[in-house]
């Protein structure tokens, strides 16, 4: 074993960063044995140096992150500060001054992953980011290494624990959205401002990263269709149960049937209770991968939190340090396929549409005619009426999103249609 330690700079010492530092200290001997050399925490960049950080030598604390990554003796920079800047500049500066990088920054990687990979390659350094998607769940490494010889066709997953907790509560207790959100906040699953989670921004960033790796194509955050789950109601869950389904906020990345394009999207969807993802409860994450040779694979576990995310960071740290000792680098960006990223309008799936209609003869025929005129085939229809008003629930066969949008626009123009109560996609078949 080499006795000279590999030096690590830690950018950020919040929930995840402090746990990374703790594990590096308490598991130092094990890490050294696995790597082949000791690892030493050489500096910790923070914004508030006066805060007490248990187990961390105060002499390591600095507010000058730029100076830390420029030191030249740093072997690996661990970035867990999040956001776009200054993280982007600090990471590229680290590469330029001889350090490899381990990051948990999903937003930055989804927006500028190609540029960061190019900077790493230009400086012959590693960029690892297992912790950016689904916390402790080994997912990125299996996609870009274990399945490197396979053809991945679809990645379907629950990649945000907050939204899964909320939807699970709505499903299991009959609670409304706000009630379930309040409980998630009280338990610490939801932030004071939950927008990034409940509006799908967090999941969309993860979808961009997963799609890029799975399909060897550059997929940016702007390429991902995003729809939040704040409009999901108890009535939607009641309808889902009647179909033998539940509702999840899903990240879906899939290759077109002809293989020439891909799509990436995040939105609530009904999913059959028989699908493995339907049984994912609470704040857990799970990702379902479908490929030619491997068939169907599922990855499941805690998707957030200090310890789970730190576990993924430390796994990357071990891999990068091993590469450092051997003078090699691990897998970089693989974007050779350069497939077209298609818009949401091209996506083909099933739909569950709930309409408020007049309760009189001929309404169903009018509605069916509109669907037929737009090329959308109806699978099932359920109608209930009382006191001159009725609800009409239509479940379609597979149709494009563009065709469905046109259908709904035409339905709204019918005098007998009082309103469109809800529209939900049906996935996972």
């Amino acid at each position: 074993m080499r006795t000279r330690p590999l030096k690590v700079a830690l950018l950020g010492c919040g929930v995840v960063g402090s746990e990374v530092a703790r594990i590096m200290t308490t598991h130092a001997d094990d890490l050294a044995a696995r790597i082949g050399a000791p690892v030493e925490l050489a500096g910790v960049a923070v914004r508030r140096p006066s805060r007490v950080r248990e187990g961390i030598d105060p002499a390591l604390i600095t507010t000058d992150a730029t100076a830390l990554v420029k030191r030249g003796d740093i072997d690996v920079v661990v970035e867990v500060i999040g956001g776009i800047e200054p993280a982007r500049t600090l990471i590229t500066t680290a590469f330029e001054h001889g350090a490899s990088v381990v990051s948990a920054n999903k937003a930055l990687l989804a927006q500028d992953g190609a540029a960061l990979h190019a900077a790493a390659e230009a400086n012959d350094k590693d960029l690892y980011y297992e912790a950016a998607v689904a916390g402790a769940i080994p997912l990125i490494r299996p996609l870009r290494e274990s399945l490197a010889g396979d053809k991945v066709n679809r990645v379907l997953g629950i990649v945000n624990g907050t939204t899964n907790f909320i939807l699970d509560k709505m499903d299991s207790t009959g609670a409304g959205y706000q009630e379930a959100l309040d409980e998630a906040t009280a338990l610490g699953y939801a932030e004071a401002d939950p927008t990034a989670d409940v509006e799908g921004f967090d999941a969309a960033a993860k979808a961009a990263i997963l799609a890029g790796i799975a399909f060897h194509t550059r997929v940016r955050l702007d390429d991902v269709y995003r729809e939040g789950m704040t409009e999901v109601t108890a009535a939607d869950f009641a309808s889902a149960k009647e179909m033998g389904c539940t509702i999840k906020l899903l990240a879906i990345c899939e290759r077109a049937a002809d293989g020439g394009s891909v799509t990436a999207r995040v939105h609530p969807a009904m999913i059959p209770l028989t699908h493995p993802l339907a049984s994912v409860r609470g704040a857990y994450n799970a990702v379902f991968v479908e490929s030619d040779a491997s068939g169907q694979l599922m990855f499941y576990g805690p998707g957030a939190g200090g310890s789970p995310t730190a576990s993924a960071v430390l796994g990357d740290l071990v891999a990068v340090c091993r590469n450092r000792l051997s003078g090699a680098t691990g897998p970089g960006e693989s974007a050779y396929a350069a497939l077209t990223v298609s818009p949401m309008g091209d996506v083909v799936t099933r739909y569950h549409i709930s309409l408020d209609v007049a309760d009189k003869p001929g309404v169903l025929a009018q509605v069916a005619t509109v669907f037929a005129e737009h090329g959308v085939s109806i699978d099932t229809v359920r109608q209930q009426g009382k006191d001159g008003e009725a609800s009409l629930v239509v479940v379609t066969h597979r149709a494009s999103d563009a065709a469905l949008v046109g259908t709904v626009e035409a339905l709204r123009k019918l005098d007998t249609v009082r309103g469109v109560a809800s529209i939900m996609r049906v996935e996972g078949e």
Side-chain angles (χ1 to χ4, degrees), residues 30-387:
D30 286 338
L31 291 173
R34 294 165 191 170
I35 292 168
V39 287
E40 174 189 310
L41 189 59
V44 181
V46 299
R47 286 183 297 175
R48 293 182 287 274
S50 59
R51 178 180 295 177
V52 176
R53 294 171 172 85
E54 186 177 348
I56 298 177
D57 184 350
L60 297 177
I61 302 296
T62 178
T63 57
D64 194 344
T66 301
L68 179 59
V69 300
K70 282 184 174 181
R71 273 177 39 173
D73 65 334
I74 300 297
D75 294 288
V76 184
V77 169
V78 174
E79 183 273 309
V80 288
I81 56 178
I84 306 302
E85 288 292 355
R88 174 170 48 198
T89 299
L90 290 170
I91 288 173
T92 55
T93 301
F95 290 141
E96 293 164 0
H97 287 78
S100 290
V101 173
V102 172
S103 176
N105 196 330
K106 56 187 171 287
L108 177 59
L109 289 158
Q111 178 172 306
D112 288 322
L116 294 178
H117 274 292
E121 183 177 359
N123 291 280
D124 196 27
K125 296 294 177 288
D126 275 324
L127 172 62
Y128 276 48
Y129 44 90
E130 183 69 62
V133 179
I137 304 173
L139 183 59
I140 289 177
R141 192 173 288 113
L143 280 175
R144 72 177 184 178
E145 296 181 30
S146 304
L147 296 175
D150 205 343
K151 179 184 177 184
V152 176
N153 296 308
R154 197 176 198 220
V155 179
L156 175 78
I158 299 165
V159 295
N160 183 277
T162 300
T163 55
N164 198 59
F165 178 89
I166 293 170
L167 292 172
D168 183 37
K169 280 295 176 183
M170 293 176 70
D171 183 28
S172 61
T173 69
Y177 165 75
Q178 189 60 52
E179 182 182 352
L181 173 59
D182 290 343
E183 182 174 353
T185 304
L187 293 172
Y189 291 124
E191 301 286 347
D193 179 1
T195 302
D197 294 324
V198 300
E199 294 295 352
F201 291 101
D202 175 84
K206 295 170 182 176
I209 295 170
L210 291 175
I213 296 170
F215 307 131
H216 304 279
T217 292
R218 287 178 178 169
V219 179
R220 288 171 50 88
L221 181 58
D222 292 345
D223 296 321
V224 181
Y225 172 83
R226 177 194 57 78
E227 184 181 320
M229 42 80 71
T230 58
E231 300 301 318
V232 177
T233 66
D236 292 326
F237 274 102
S239 294
K241 287 180 179 179
E242 290 180 0
M243 291 178 58
C245 294
T246 188
I247 298 172
K248 300 290 186 181
L249 184 76
L250 298 178
I252 305 170
C253 314
E254 53 191 353
R255 189 190 301 265
D258 63 7
S261 64
V262 298
T263 57
R265 50 198 166 101
V266 168
H267 54 71
M270 293 183 180
I271 188 168
L273 294 175
T274 53
H275 193 281
L277 290 179
S279 61
V280 177
R281 312 302 297 267
Y284 276 73
N285 283 194
V287 177
F288 199 73
V289 178
E290 300 174 12
S291 65
D292 276 2
S294 303
Q296 298 178 333
L297 306 170
M298 187 163 132
F299 302 83
Y300 169 84
S307 293
T309 306
S311 171
V313 169
L314 267 296
D316 279 350
L317 180 62
V318 168
V320 170
C321 285
R322 287 171 175 169
N323 292 344
R324 191 85 171 183
L325 289 178
S326 66
T329 56
E333 182 189 31
S334 176
Y336 74 91
L339 300 174
T340 300
V341 182
S342 297
M344 186 63 185
D346 292 348
V347 170
V348 175
T349 188
R350 296 177 67 204
Y351 292 87
H352 175 282
I353 304 102
S354 179
L355 305 172
D356 295 325
V357 299
D359 185 17
K360 61 182 183 181
V363 173
L364 180 56
Q366 286 184 326
V367 169
T369 298
V370 170
F371 276 88
E373 289 174 347
H374 288 81
V376 180
S377 176
I378 293 176
D379 182 18
T380 63
V381 178
R382 185 176 71 254
Q383 184 173 1
Q384 293 179 326
K386 183 179 180 181
D387 299 329

Side-chain angles (χ1 to χ4, degrees), residues 2-28:
R2 192 180 89 165
T3 57
R4 183 169 64 83
L6 293 161
K7 294 189 176 182
V8 178
L10 179 60
L11 307 183
C13 198
V15 174
V16 175
S18 60
E19 189 66 7
V20 169
R22 185 192 68 79
I23 295 173
M24 285 184 64
T25 301
T26 59
H27 296 180

